[in-house]
Amino acid sequence: MRKTIVATTLAVIAASALMLNGCGKKAEAEAVTTAAVETTAAAEETTAEETTTAAEETTAAAEETTAAAEETTAAAEESSESEEESTEESSKEEETTEETTKEETTTAEETTVEETTAEETKAQSSGADPSAIYSQVTGLLPGMINVDANYIANYYGIDASQLEGYVFAMAEDVTHADTVAILKAKDASSVAALAGQLSAVQQQKAQELQDYMPDQYQIVAASSVKTAGNYVYLVMSPNAAAIEQTIASNIG
């Protein structure tokens, strides 16, 4: 707009100078021309200054925009770093929680195993020794003899190596059916087999006495094999009830 006004002004001044020259007024024409030159120079200076100022303002605005963009970028980077740190902390917390849970689970399992082992050991070691139990019932029996491991292995197939302790006693007088067998197995898995072997003892004794000594046969026929925990026992005696009660009270 300013340039248009200046151009118009210059055109008017130029026309005036021509008119003055035409009228013979050379001095006035030169004055008008000088004024036109000065006006043009002033206008150019003003335009240059305004252009420079506008450029500087534009540059300043651009610099401010750049600074704002840099601040935004920095803020975004800080936010990203904070998120990464937060994610790392969350991951560490999750790992710590998992490790703690695993440790607690392992400890609980170890404790359970230890408790189970202790209970098994206690169960195996609990209860009186068969010989100690037998010593409490000898007063209810006639003269008895204790047979050894070879005897029970050869006659009844009982392997003494599977036993933690045992007593196998029979009446010295063959006319008496009295027999007391108390076996304590090392392993509970042997109990069923041992019970079967004592049942065979009872059946063999019954066959021996059935036709020759009916009264003693009745004692044998009334007997039965019993088990409790790792114990297996057989009592053939007129006092079987009292003897079995003593055995049960010691192994319960």
Side-chain angles (χ1 to χ4, degrees), residues 4 97 213 233:
T4 302
T97 301
M213 298 177 183
Y233 57 97

Side-chain angles (χ1 to χ4, degrees), residues 189-201:
S189 62
S190 303
V191 170
L194 292 172
Q197 289 166 333
L198 287 187
S199 291
V201 172

Side-chain angles (χ1 to χ4, degrees), residues 152 156-160 162-163 168 181 183-203 225-227 229-234:
I152 62 176
Y156 306 119
I158 298 173
D159 183 0
Q162 296 180 343
L163 305 175
F168 201 112
L183 313 179
K184 185 179 182 182
K186 291 179 179 179
D187 193 327
S189 62
S190 303
V191 170
L194 292 172
Q197 289 166 333
L198 287 187
S199 291
V201 172
Q202 191 255 7
Q203 292 171 7
V225 177
K226 294 180 173 60
T227 63
N230 283 21
Y231 289 88
V232 184
Y233 57 97
L234 170 66

Side-chain angles (χ1 to χ4, degrees), residues 130-142:
S131 296
I133 298 172
Y134 176 72
S135 67
Q136 299 177 40
V137 300
T138 54
L140 299 172
L141 296 166

